[in-house]
């Protein structure tokens, strides 16, 4: 197992304020997919912005309302839309781990987001307990997509990230060995050359290490 180090990245999130994030979701039509009224979304963002400690906070829609299959195509990089890899047709079955305790509400906030660059070349199986020891919570897949929707620069060549807060459970209750991640397509294989440099939602094996994938996490979630 790699040497344990605090999960802090050289990349610093510079998120828009919460009302601007709400307008971005409205522009993309996320509110319609989620069944959330424009007024409700704007009111939630305004109230959260007025609360203490709102700076650097991410606005998220609960994955039950806006799943990854809906959000991924809204991503953009160099004018190209995001996509889910062809061998992940079950992407929306990768749901948040039980101990993530997502708020039971259509809208919620994440604080202290970090890309986890220092955990590059760790496996998901190694990273998950280490994050818990540091008092951090791994991002769910939809939360990672929300981050890139609001701050596209969070996705960089050789500095992309996994979202191991989402996993698929088999019928017997065991975890599927795949773990979701968000990175940039090279336009090879089944991706197709036309998708080179597009944002990509895919997966990696839970026991494998990748030098170019960190582990996105947050300090917490709240309403």
């Amino acid at each position: 197992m790699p040497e344990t180090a605090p999960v802090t990245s050289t990349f610093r999130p510079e998120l828009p304020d919460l009302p601007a994030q709400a307008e971005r979701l409205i522009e993309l039509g996320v509110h319609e997919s989620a069944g959330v009224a424009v007024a409700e979304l704007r009111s939630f963002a305004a109230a959260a912005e007025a609360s203490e400690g709102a700076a650097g906070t991410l606005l998220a829609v609960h994955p039950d309302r806006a799943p990854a299959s809906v959000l991924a195509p809204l991503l953009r990089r160099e004018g190209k839309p995001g996509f889910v890899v062809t061998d992940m047709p079950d992407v929306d079955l990768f749901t948040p781990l039980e101990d993530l305790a997502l708020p039971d509400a259509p809208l919620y906030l994440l604080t202290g987001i970090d890309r986890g660059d220092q955990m590059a070349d760790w496996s998901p199986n190694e990273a998950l307990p280490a994050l818990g020891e540091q008092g951090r919570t791994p991002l769910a897949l939809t939360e990672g997509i929300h981050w890139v929707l609001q701050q596209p620069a969070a996705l960089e060549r050789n500095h992309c990230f996994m979202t191991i807060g989402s996993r698929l459970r088999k019928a017997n209750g065991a975890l599927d060995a795949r773990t979701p991640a968000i990175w940039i397509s090279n336009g090879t294989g089944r991706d197709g050359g036309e998708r080179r440099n597009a944002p990509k939602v895919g997966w990696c094996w839970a026991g494998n290490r990748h030098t170019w994938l960190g582990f996105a996490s947050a300090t917490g979630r709240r309403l």
Side-chain angles (χ1 to χ4, degrees):
M1 181 173 178
E3 183 180 352
T4 301
V7 181
T8 54
S9 302
T10 54
F11 177 81
R12 292 287 175 263
E14 294 182 2
L15 288 161
D17 62 33
L18 291 171
Q21 291 184 44
E23 293 305 319
R24 173 67 173 153
L25 296 180
I26 292 167
E27 173 192 352
L28 294 171
V30 174
H31 67 295
E32 295 177 346
S33 301
V36 176
V38 167
E40 179 183 357
L41 181 51
R42 286 174 172 160
S43 176
F44 178 86
E49 183 68 21
S51 69
E52 185 176 353
T57 301
L58 177 67
L59 171 60
V61 179
H62 197 286
D64 287 349
R65 296 292 193 100
S69 63
V70 170
L71 296 176
L74 303 177
L75 295 168
R76 290 291 184 277
R77 188 175 186 274
E78 298 185 2
K80 297 181 179 181
F83 67 99
V84 179
V85 294
T86 57
D87 59 352
M88 202 177 184
D90 51 359
V91 64
D92 291 337
L93 299 180
F94 284 74
T95 55
L97 294 168
E98 292 82 356
D99 57 2
L100 260 62
L102 267 64
D104 185 17
L107 305 170
Y108 65 97
L109 306 170
L110 291 109
T111 56
I113 288 178
D114 189 89
R115 199 168 60 186
D117 292 352
Q118 275 76 352
M119 284 183 138
D121 208 24
W122 288 48
S123 73
N125 286 342
E126 294 164 338
L128 185 60
L131 288 171
E133 290 170 2
Q134 295 177 26
R136 300 190 63 84
T137 177
L139 291 197
L141 174 56
T142 55
E143 294 169 347
I145 297 174
H146 273 294
W147 183 13
V148 181
L149 285 174
Q150 299 291 353
Q151 188 182 11
L155 210 58
E156 295 182 82
R157 280 266 177 216
N158 300 315
H159 295 289
C160 299
F161 59 86
M162 302 196 70
T163 52
I164 59 173
S166 291
R167 295 293 294 271
L168 170 65
R169 285 206 177 270
K170 301 177 182 179
N172 63 5
L175 288 174
D176 187 278
R178 294 172 295 166
T179 54
I182 308 171
W183 71 93
I184 299 168
S185 174
N186 287 325
T188 56
R190 286 180 288 180
D191 287 2
E194 71 280 2
R195 283 175 163 165
R196 178 172 173 76
N197 294 324
K200 171 178 177 176
V201 172
W203 58 270
C204 302
W205 297 119
N208 287 5
R209 298 175 178 177
H210 298 275
T211 58
W212 46 278
L213 286 173
F215 291 85
S217 65
T219 54
R221 299 172 180 83
R222 63 181 176 86
L223 293 174

